[in-house]
Short mmCIF file of all heavy atoms in Angstrom, two decimals:
data_model
loop_
_atom_site.label_atom_id
_atom_site.label_comp_id
_atom_site.label_asym_id
_atom_site.label_seq_id
_atom_site.Cartn_x
_atom_site.Cartn_y
_atom_site.Cartn_z
N ARG S 294 -4.26 38.66 62.21
CA ARG S 294 -4.66 39.42 63.33
C ARG S 294 -6.14 39.33 63.63
O ARG S 294 -6.69 39.04 64.65
CB ARG S 294 -4.25 40.82 63.22
CG ARG S 294 -4.78 41.81 64.37
CD ARG S 294 -4.38 43.25 64.08
NE ARG S 294 -4.86 44.09 65.24
CZ ARG S 294 -4.23 44.25 66.29
NH1 ARG S 294 -3.12 43.57 66.51
NH2 ARG S 294 -4.76 45.11 67.26
N GLY S 295 -6.98 39.34 62.53
CA GLY S 295 -8.38 39.20 62.57
C GLY S 295 -8.91 39.33 61.12
O GLY S 295 -8.26 39.76 60.20
N PRO S 296 -10.12 38.92 60.98
CA PRO S 296 -10.79 38.89 59.58
C PRO S 296 -11.20 40.20 59.11
O PRO S 296 -11.72 41.01 59.93
CB PRO S 296 -11.93 37.95 59.80
CG PRO S 296 -12.40 38.17 61.22
CD PRO S 296 -11.12 38.43 61.93
N THR S 297 -11.03 40.45 57.83
CA THR S 297 -11.66 41.58 57.13
C THR S 297 -13.12 41.16 56.89
O THR S 297 -13.57 40.05 56.95
CB THR S 297 -10.95 41.94 55.88
OG1 THR S 297 -11.15 40.79 54.97
CG2 THR S 297 -9.58 42.17 56.05
N ASP S 298 -13.90 42.18 56.47
CA ASP S 298 -15.37 41.80 56.13
C ASP S 298 -15.36 40.83 55.00
O ASP S 298 -16.24 39.95 54.83
CB ASP S 298 -16.08 43.06 55.77
CG ASP S 298 -16.35 43.93 57.00
OD1 ASP S 298 -16.37 43.36 58.22
OD2 ASP S 298 -16.72 45.06 56.94
N VAL S 301 -14.73 37.35 56.30
CA VAL S 301 -15.98 36.88 56.93
C VAL S 301 -16.91 36.33 55.88
O VAL S 301 -17.55 35.21 56.04
CB VAL S 301 -16.72 37.91 57.78
CG1 VAL S 301 -17.99 37.41 58.22
CG2 VAL S 301 -15.78 38.41 59.01
N GLY S 325 -9.19 35.00 64.68
CA GLY S 325 -8.50 36.07 65.31
C GLY S 325 -9.35 37.07 65.96
O GLY S 325 -10.57 36.76 66.30
N LEU S 326 -8.94 38.31 66.09
CA LEU S 326 -9.74 39.37 66.80
C LEU S 326 -10.87 39.76 65.92
O LEU S 326 -10.74 40.00 64.86
CB LEU S 326 -8.87 40.57 67.12
CG LEU S 326 -7.55 40.33 67.95
CD1 LEU S 326 -6.69 41.53 68.06
CD2 LEU S 326 -7.99 39.91 69.36
N LEU S 327 -12.01 39.84 66.51
CA LEU S 327 -13.36 40.18 65.87
C LEU S 327 -13.64 41.72 66.00
O LEU S 327 -13.47 42.27 67.03
CB LEU S 327 -14.50 39.43 66.32
CG LEU S 327 -14.46 37.88 66.04
CD1 LEU S 327 -15.56 37.19 66.76
CD2 LEU S 327 -14.47 37.65 64.64
N SER S 328 -14.06 42.29 64.94
CA SER S 328 -14.58 43.68 64.98
C SER S 328 -16.13 43.56 65.28
O SER S 328 -16.72 42.54 65.07
CB SER S 328 -14.33 44.34 63.64
OG SER S 328 -12.98 44.37 63.35
N ASP S 329 -16.63 44.73 65.47
CA ASP S 329 -18.14 44.88 65.86
C ASP S 329 -18.93 44.34 64.59
O ASP S 329 -18.67 44.66 63.46
CB ASP S 329 -18.51 46.23 66.08
CG ASP S 329 -18.06 46.73 67.41
OD1 ASP S 329 -17.51 45.94 68.22
OD2 ASP S 329 -18.04 48.00 67.62
N GLY S 330 -19.89 43.38 64.89
CA GLY S 330 -20.77 42.88 64.02
C GLY S 330 -20.36 41.58 63.32
O GLY S 330 -21.20 40.90 62.62
N GLN S 331 -19.12 41.22 63.32
CA GLN S 331 -18.67 40.13 62.61
C GLN S 331 -19.04 38.75 63.30
O GLN S 331 -19.39 37.91 62.55
CB GLN S 331 -17.05 40.06 62.67
CG GLN S 331 -16.46 41.25 61.69
CD GLN S 331 -15.07 41.15 61.46
OE1 GLN S 331 -14.31 40.77 62.51
NE2 GLN S 331 -14.56 41.61 60.38
N ALA S 332 -19.06 38.73 64.58
CA ALA S 332 -19.60 37.51 65.28
C ALA S 332 -21.09 37.23 64.83
O ALA S 332 -21.46 36.13 64.63
CB ALA S 332 -19.52 37.68 66.81
N GLU S 333 -21.85 38.31 64.82
CA GLU S 333 -23.25 38.17 64.32
C GLU S 333 -23.41 37.70 62.94
O GLU S 333 -24.18 36.75 62.63
CB GLU S 333 -24.01 39.57 64.47
CG GLU S 333 -24.25 39.97 65.84
CD GLU S 333 -23.06 40.57 66.70
OE1 GLU S 333 -21.98 40.73 66.00
OE2 GLU S 333 -23.14 40.88 67.82
N ARG S 334 -22.47 38.06 62.06
CA ARG S 334 -22.52 37.59 60.62
C ARG S 334 -22.10 36.23 60.59
O ARG S 334 -22.76 35.42 59.79
CB ARG S 334 -21.55 38.49 59.89
CG ARG S 334 -22.04 39.90 59.62
CD ARG S 334 -21.07 40.68 58.81
NE ARG S 334 -20.82 40.14 57.53
CZ ARG S 334 -19.66 40.40 56.85
NH1 ARG S 334 -18.80 41.30 57.27
NH2 ARG S 334 -19.44 39.90 55.66
N TYR S 343 -17.19 30.04 68.45
CA TYR S 343 -15.98 30.77 68.07
C TYR S 343 -14.93 30.53 69.08
O TYR S 343 -15.18 30.63 70.25
CB TYR S 343 -16.40 32.38 67.95
CG TYR S 343 -15.32 33.02 67.22
CD1 TYR S 343 -15.29 33.15 65.86
CD2 TYR S 343 -14.27 33.68 67.92
CE1 TYR S 343 -14.32 33.86 65.15
CE2 TYR S 343 -13.20 34.34 67.24
CZ TYR S 343 -13.26 34.43 65.81
OH TYR S 343 -12.32 35.09 65.13
N ASP S 368 -12.02 40.67 74.84
CA ASP S 368 -12.99 41.38 74.13
C ASP S 368 -13.63 40.54 73.07
O ASP S 368 -14.89 40.52 72.80
CB ASP S 368 -12.52 42.80 73.49
CG ASP S 368 -13.59 43.52 72.73
OD1 ASP S 368 -14.48 43.95 73.27
OD2 ASP S 368 -13.39 43.60 71.50
N THR S 369 -12.83 39.85 72.30
CA THR S 369 -13.26 38.92 71.24
C THR S 369 -14.21 37.78 71.78
O THR S 369 -15.21 37.45 71.22
CB THR S 369 -12.11 38.41 70.45
OG1 THR S 369 -11.70 39.46 69.52
CG2 THR S 369 -12.57 37.25 69.51
N LYS S 372 -17.38 39.19 72.53
CA LYS S 372 -18.20 39.48 71.32
C LYS S 372 -18.96 38.32 70.86
O LYS S 372 -20.07 38.21 70.48
CB LYS S 372 -17.33 40.11 70.26
CG LYS S 372 -17.00 41.65 70.38
CD LYS S 372 -16.26 42.04 69.18
CE LYS S 372 -16.10 43.50 69.05
NZ LYS S 372 -15.25 44.07 70.00
N ALA S 373 -18.14 37.18 70.83
CA ALA S 373 -18.66 35.91 70.39
C ALA S 373 -19.86 35.39 71.25
O ALA S 373 -20.95 35.04 70.77
CB ALA S 373 -17.56 34.79 70.39
#
Side-chain angles (χ1 to χ4, degrees):
R294 178 180 178 85
T297 64
D298 286 341
V301 173
L326 302 174
L327 291 174
S328 301
D329 289 346
Q331 291 183 329
E333 287 79 3
R334 290 176 59 198
Y343 195 85
D368 178 66
T369 285
K372 279 185 168 73

